[in-house]
Amino acid sequence: MFWVLAPLTVFAAVGMLLVKKAVYSAILLAFVMIALAIFYIAQDAPFLGIVQIVVYTGAVMMLFLFILMLVGVDSSDSLVETIKGLRGVAITTSLAFAAALTSLIARAEFGQEPLGLASANANGNVEGIANLIFRQYVWAFEVISALLITAALGAMVLAHSPKSSEARLSQRARSVARFRGASIGTAAGLPGSGVFARHNAVDVPALLPDGKPSDLSIPSVLAERGDVQETKRYALDGLPKLDEEDK
Amino acid sequence: MNTSTNIVYLIALPLFSSALLMLLGRKADKWGHIFASLISASAFFVGVTEFFAMCSRPEEARAVTQKLFTWISVGDFQVDASLLLDQLSIAFVLLITGVGTLIHIYSIAYMSHDRDQRRFFAYLNFFIAAMLLLVLGDSYLNLYVGWEGVGLASYLLIGFWNQKPEYATAAKKAFVMNRVGDFGLSIAIMIGFATFGSVSFSGIEEKVGGASETALTAMGLMLLLAAAGKSAQFPLQAWLGDAMAGPTPVSALIHAATMVTAGVYLITRSNFIFDNAPTAQLAVVMIGIITLLFGAIIGTAKDDIKKVLAASTMSQIGYMILATGFGPAGYAFAIMHLLTHGFFKAGMFLGAGSVMHGMNDEVNMRKYGGLAKFMPITSITFGLGYLAIIGVPPFAGFYSKDKIIETAFNAGGLQGVIFGGSALLGAIITAFYMTRVMLLTFAGNKRWASDAHPHESPFLMWAPMAILAIGSVASGYLLYSGKAIVKWLAPVVDKDHHEHVEFLPPIVVTALAIAAVVIGVSIALLKNRGEQSESAPSDVSIWTRIARRDLLQDDANEFLFMRPGQEVTKALVATDDRVIDGAVRGVAASAVGSARGLRKLQTGYVRNYALLILIGAAVILAAMWVVTI
Amino acid sequence: MNPTNYLYLSAILFSIGAVGVVVRRNAIVVFMCIELMLNAANLAFVTFANMTGNLQGQVMAFFTMVVAACEVVVGLAIIVTIYRSRRSASVDDASLLSR
């Protein structure tokens, strides 16, 4: 069984590296984890194997898939390497690493025949592990649970969006604010050009949208001739005075 | 050995005075010179009392010691700061303090116009103290302290007028060449300690019988090197001529009477070493002969009166060194010549200073001439010194030089003839150039500069000259009558009372010596008669030119030592710059370069970093694999 | 059935996972490769438990599973957050630490 599953695991891992789409990598990783769970069970660690499937494959990998959904399911890397020479050096280094590790393992002397876990699992694997966790390693256990809680808090803090703390105005409130704005512009928009024009003489300047007269609206020929009026008088807020004078 | 408590005053008095004058500074300007001279006179007084005390003691008890304090005490090596006053040192003590005091008195007048007079006297006192320590030390190490001290004093005094760069350079030259000699003395002390386990004179003298002749020869040669440095012998003689840059009293005291004789003292004190190392003795004799001829030849060609006297000093010390090379037969005569030379050479230097004082500090003899009428006392005292140095009987130099020539001949065989013949030749040349000096300076036509008005020197200057002239006349006879000096020094240098072999009968040697004098004087009279020119003649033979250039001694030193030394220094500087600094800069550059390279690792890509982690893990596994093989 | 074979399988799966972490660019696929590495380690633990006759290996594997679950939760939350702001799930985009 080992000799079937182990090569498959390796292929899956290599494939995880090589595929372009991230979702495929996630699925391959899930495959690797399930295979590992089977290995755990085969080595007299049934508790751990089930935990692997439930926690790791079930929760962690699904979490990965959710994030992939958020980030973009079809986001893919181009497999062209941007940093020069990185790929070659990385593959060489990790081959050397693997070679060193395997040769070290091969040379390692274990000192005794591998004992099975028959006696350790005498009362059942769960009891055995519980015995260790809640007696010898209870301190580590407590610390790790504190770590878990901290991680959850951290995730909440990180995921918190600042925008959601602002108050959202209701529709009615927004409408009221619109009509009570500083100028007519917030309510109905500003009028088109020429609505407030009082004269159409050629030497009276036109008004810009904010009420100021524009010198550009008077032909320059008139300016050469000296036949112009003072444009400032024709500003929008000076019009009442002009009306008085006209009367 | 008896102890005494007075010896230390000889050194302490001048040392205290020197320190006081240096520390008080300008405050002591008014009385510093008088105080220093009084201190020097008091040291002479102590010396005289010690001498008479020594004379009154029986011969075996004449030497006295005084321990000052324990200086070095390291494991088995113990050196005390002790003083030894025996027959040899008392002679030097009297010479140093006596001539020293006379020169102090002379300097009161000579340096009276100098602003730094007090500093001069402080240095003079320091020199006296150091020289006394040199001759009173009871071990090579104590001698070395004094040795260094006189070297320092010489440097300070030669470069006294250090405003002039040439004088400062001359002082440096003297100090550096002295240093080479000091190196020899250090090596000698080291050899002495290694061979005998002790550095004191008595300690080494006891064990000298058991040492190998190689060790003794090596030590002797190193001591010779030290003596050559201090006494301006070949090959370390080039500094003496330049040392005339110092004031004339300095030249008289240090470079005529005392410091340059320290080498002779060293060799005489180490007689037990040289007597057992014939090769070293032969080296001493050779150096003596080379130097006495060297100095004499230079003296013939110089026009500067002080440089002639310096060359003459070099030559006369060559005689002394020659004498010390003959073992117990010669030590006493070397010391006798040293003492008489102290009188007449110091006297002549003071006379030269007097002439310079009267001629506005002119040193060129070509600008002198006919001064005898104008400076009668100076010319008489100088003349007496002249007669002494050329060896006219019954003046001092005759006795001492004659005895040295006789000892040279008594070495026997062909060697004796060569040694004695060279000494005679030196005597001829000495007579020649000293006569030339007399003729150029005091006789002949007047070749003065226009502003010169020669006059006799003041009392404080001619009185010491007169006293020294009396010494030049009488000291020879006094020292030799009844072989006094030989018997006096015998306990120090000639313990076993060797019988001295006679090669030629003494009367023959005396005749030869007098003949040499006559020949020299005649040649000088012949060559220098008639009008002398004001400037040195330029159409002279190649030999004269070489002699004028000090027999190329400076050129040789430059070629052999200075230029290679400069090249070595340049190479070292270049090495320091390029190699050592380059290495430092290279480290910095490699740090920057490697940092630049390593920066490329930081690509920012997570996958690169993950790959590096994987590589690291693979490396660790590989290491484990290798380790467990 | 020699349990050592399981160890070899574990080693091979681990290295395949290591290569996958380095080579793939999609952050979620990288995560899945990390999961593969963790599972390979679990397999090794269980095998050792079998070989030593001691349940401690299985307890270790159990705890590893729990920790892996926490890690997946937090990691995926981070990926979602990054995806929301950048609209891309490529690992190469976080390259601001380059020189």
Side-chain angles (χ1 to χ4, degrees), chain A residues 150-172:
Chain A
T150 315
L153 275 174
M156 276 202 296
V157 166
L158 279 169
H160 183 70
S161 160
K163 254 197 296 186
S164 53
S165 60
E166 275 172 15
R168 286 191 169 264
L169 294 172
S170 67
Q171 197 175 25
R172 184 191 159 76

Side-chain angles (χ1 to χ4, degrees), chain A residues 74-239:
Chain A
D74 54 349
S75 70
S76 54
D77 285 339
S78 74
L79 281 181
V80 174
E81 182 59 65
T82 49
I83 302 174
K84 256 192 331 177
L86 186 71
R87 194 167 279 184
V89 176
I91 293 180
T92 320
T93 313
S94 85
L95 278 177
F97 190 84
L101 261 183
T102 41
S103 76
L104 277 173
I105 296 173
R107 278 198 300 165
E109 277 274 333
F110 188 55
Q112 60 192 61
E113 278 302 307
L115 312 167
L117 282 170
S119 61
N121 281 346
N123 293 335
N125 187 247
V126 181
E127 276 88 351
I129 291 183
N131 209 359
L132 277 175
I133 289 180
F134 292 109
R135 289 231 189 109
Q136 218 176 338
Y137 296 117
V138 65
W139 173 235
F141 175 71
E142 299 297 335
V143 170
I144 287 186
S145 38
L147 176 66
L148 254 181
I149 297 171
T150 315
L153 275 174
M156 276 202 296
V157 166
L158 279 169
H160 183 70
S161 160
K163 254 197 296 186
S164 53
S165 60
E166 275 172 15
R168 286 191 169 264
L169 294 172
S170 67
Q171 197 175 25
R172 184 191 159 76
R174 273 189 274 165
S175 180
V176 166
R178 199 172 104 208
F179 283 98
R180 290 195 185 149
S183 74
I184 197 175
T186 56
L190 290 170
S193 59
V195 166
F196 291 129
R198 305 291 285 254
H199 308 271
N200 58 2
V202 84
D203 60 350
V204 172
L207 293 178
L208 291 172
D210 58 356
K212 294 201 184 53
S214 166
D215 281 332
L216 294 173
S217 56
I218 302 177
S220 54
V221 178
L222 289 174
E224 299 292 321
R225 263 193 354 212
D227 234 356
V228 292
Q229 308 247 18
E230 201 185 296
T231 51
K232 271 203 294 265
R233 294 172 62 222
Y234 288 97
L236 188 61
D237 26 336
L239 284 176

Side-chain angles (χ1 to χ4, degrees), chain B residues 576-597:
Chain B
D576 179 53
D577 209 23
R578 258 181 260 122
V579 172
I580 299 178
D581 284 354
V584 172
R585 268 184 255 121
V587 167
S590 67
V592 170
S594 59
R596 232 178 255 141

Side-chain angles (χ1 to χ4, degrees), chain B residues 423-481:
Chain B
L424 275 177
L425 180 63
I428 299 177
I429 307 178
T430 307
F432 169 74
Y433 67 77
M434 287 314 298
T435 315
R436 177 174 172 266
V437 169
M438 288 298 291
L439 289 174
L440 279 177
T441 310
F442 294 111
N445 54 323
K446 304 191 184 74
R447 303 178 296 277
W448 312 336
S450 46
D451 60 343
H453 48 278
H455 54 280
E456 188 55 78
S457 309
F459 170 71
L460 280 178
M461 277 173 72
W462 65 254
M465 284 158 54
I467 297 177
L468 289 170
I470 297 174
S472 318
V473 172
S475 57
Y477 178 72
L478 285 172
L479 285 172
Y480 191 65
S481 66

